[in-house]
Amino acid sequence: MKLVVALVLLVLGSLLFHWLSPWWFTPLASNWGTVDTTVDITLYITGIVFVAVNLFMAYAIFLYRHNPSRRAHYEPENKKLETWLTVITTVGVVAMLAPGLVVWAEFIKVPDEAHEVEVVGEQWQWRYRFPGADGKLGEVDSRYVSEANPFGMSPADPAGEDDILVRSNELHLPLDRPVKLLLRSKDVLHNFAVPQFRVKMDMVPGSVSYTWFSPTVVGKYDVLCMELCGIAHYTMRGHVVVDSEADFEKWLAEYPTWSEVQGRPKADAVAGKAQYAVCASCHGQQAEGIEAMNAPALAGLAPWYLERQIRHYQQGIRGAHQDDTFGQQMAGMSRVLANDNAIRNVSAYIDSLPAPEVPGTVSGNVAKGAAHFNSCGACHGAKAQGNYALQAPRLAGIQDWYLKRQLHNFRQGIRGTHEGDNYGHQMVLMARSLQNEKSIDDLLSYLNSL
Ligand code: CUA
């Protein structure tokens, strides 16, 4: 009898959960209403079968409960029963699968008028490429990937010259225009998914997969990676913004073409030396860092990292938080660099200076710190030497008091919470995995030992 009650409660509970719970599809923002229909059909069919089977079980348990005056009779075959059970099951399975086949056929057939956009997945970022005026994407190959050519553009293909390279996690798309996304990965398996568009497709290194849709609602949506792709998989987030045609064009015009990227003058360390004079008053003549000025060493840091931080200071992405006093000072100072060339020159000059010897100031357990560093090393390198591919700066040879403050800032959300600071956001998530002050001191002691 208890079992009967349990089964009936299971059915009632499941139905109530379905009707009352807030978890359901996110509002649809693309043409793929049919994807929802197929899921609905599957849910209704399995739901009806679930209710019917469980209630029948409860009924049978109740009706045929133990009774000493009754004996079960043996009936191994029942042709009639087997026939209609087989027919009903077949109809149910066909009804569940057939609509999916119809929708899948549409899903893989891209309309001719769709415009193409390439999505590049890499640990743990999203990048995008538009074909430019010729409407054709240039050839790419991972052999060509370098600091100067992160997309791996082929130097031999003229079709790539006007390709627009979007080195940002945010993609904009024009409203109501079908788009074909060409998906590729630079390293491991990723999966491009936007729940509101109902699209989700694997990205496989060495090949180009695709998906298509028409965005139908203006708004901002999350891009999620839905393939476990390493230690920071859960931080691999991006955005898609659906815009009016005019806003979209305006956004796209902000990004350089491949030929513009190549045409940039080489960074000039000599010119950078003069520009560095202002920085020297806090960071030191040799960019060795001055603790009394709360200014860390800059020598030893890679130019790509310095450039990004200076740009972030200028754009209010870093150093804008009200509790980030030193960051605010730096944000003000960063504006003495008048343009992008100045930023690149000064970074090139700093890069030419020798990395300083920095004395350790914290005391902690080096062995425990080494264990904590395991997850950091996945991005920052086994020797904390930094890793361009993952855009993770060098940590070895950086003053521990500075690293300590930054870890604190990340943990408190003082750094890394600005919308435009995607790497910073990843660091917020990672820094919070350190349990307490003690773990931080252990970690810093280990870094000092490198
Ligand atoms: Cu990329 Cu998970």
Side-chain angles (χ1 to χ4, degrees), residues 122 124 126 189-191 225-230 233-234 236:
E122 58 182 81
W124 286 280
W126 300 100
L189 287 176
H190 299 282
N191 182 298
C225 177
M226 291 228 190
E227 188 74 61
L228 185 59
C229 57
H233 151 72
Y234 67 107
M236 189 166 167

Side-chain angles (χ1 to χ4, degrees), residues 200-222:
K200 181 174 181 296
M201 188 57 71
D202 268 348
M203 312 173 80
V204 183
S207 74
V208 178
S209 50
Y210 70 90
T211 187
W212 81 272
F213 58 92
S214 240
T216 53
V217 183
V218 169
K220 184 170 182 177
Y221 311 104
D222 283 332

Side-chain angles (χ1 to χ4, degrees), residues 17 47 134 147 200 281 306 318 395 407 410:
F17 182 80
D134 66 356
E147 278 186 36
K200 181 174 181 296
S281 51
L306 293 169
R318 189 176 168 189
L395 301 175
L407 277 171
F410 279 127

Side-chain angles (χ1 to χ4, degrees), residues 86-316:
T86 307
V87 169
I88 287 183
T89 310
T90 309
V91 170
V93 172
V94 169
M96 275 196 292
L97 298 187
L101 292 176
V102 175
V103 176
W104 179 251
E106 289 170 37
F107 200 81
I108 56 172
K109 194 175 165 294
V110 184
D112 294 334
E113 71 273 22
H115 67 112
E116 290 189 341
V117 179
E118 182 189 62
V119 180
V120 186
E122 58 182 81
Q123 287 176 322
W124 286 280
Q125 302 295 331
W126 300 100
R127 299 285 180 253
Y128 311 98
R129 182 163 66 115
F130 286 76
D134 66 356
K136 251 171 54 189
L137 285 163
E139 216 177 277
V140 285
D141 197 303
S142 44
R143 277 178 302 164
Y144 304 126
V145 172
S146 69
E147 278 186 36
N149 184 6
F151 283 79
M153 304 291 295
S154 160
D157 186 4
E161 292 295 326
D162 65 350
D163 286 7
I164 300 160
L165 308 179
V166 180
R167 287 199 73 195
S168 157
N169 271 316
E170 190 168 294
L171 169 69
H172 285 225
L173 290 172
L175 184 68
D176 287 330
R177 232 167 87 191
V179 57
K180 179 183 187 182
L181 298 182
L182 296 155
L183 309 165
R184 75 178 158 111
S185 163
K186 275 163 74 175
D187 37 42
V188 298
L189 287 176
H190 299 282
N191 182 298
F192 178 89
V194 180
Q196 287 85 351
F197 296 155
R198 310 292 191 260
V199 295
K200 181 174 181 296
M201 188 57 71
D202 268 348
M203 312 173 80
V204 183
S207 74
V208 178
S209 50
Y210 70 90
T211 187
W212 81 272
F213 58 92
S214 240
T216 53
V217 183
V218 169
K220 184 170 182 177
Y221 311 104
D222 283 332
V223 175
L224 309 171
C225 177
M226 291 228 190
E227 188 74 61
L228 185 59
C229 57
I231 192 165
H233 151 72
Y234 67 107
T235 68
M236 189 166 167
R237 302 279 187 92
H239 298 288
V240 186
V241 176
V242 177
D243 271 343
S244 67
E245 195 75 37
D247 287 347
F248 164 73
E249 294 295 345
K250 211 171 107 203
W251 169 82
L252 191 61
E254 288 168 19
Y255 287 91
T257 63
W258 171 225
S259 90
E260 282 165 1
V261 171
Q262 287 169 295
R264 280 180 191 157
K266 256 179 90 78
D268 180 353
V270 178
K273 184 175 183 181
Q275 275 144 350
Y276 180 75
V278 187
C279 322
S281 51
C282 290
H283 289 280
Q285 287 304 324
Q286 292 295 304
E288 72 280 15
I290 301 177
E291 186 173 1
M293 305 299 289
N294 290 295
L298 301 174
L301 288 168
W304 52 262
Y305 177 71
L306 293 169
E307 287 169 25
R308 185 172 79 222
Q309 296 310 307
I310 299 171
R311 285 188 197 113
H312 279 183
Y313 277 122
Q314 290 192 345
Q315 294 159 353

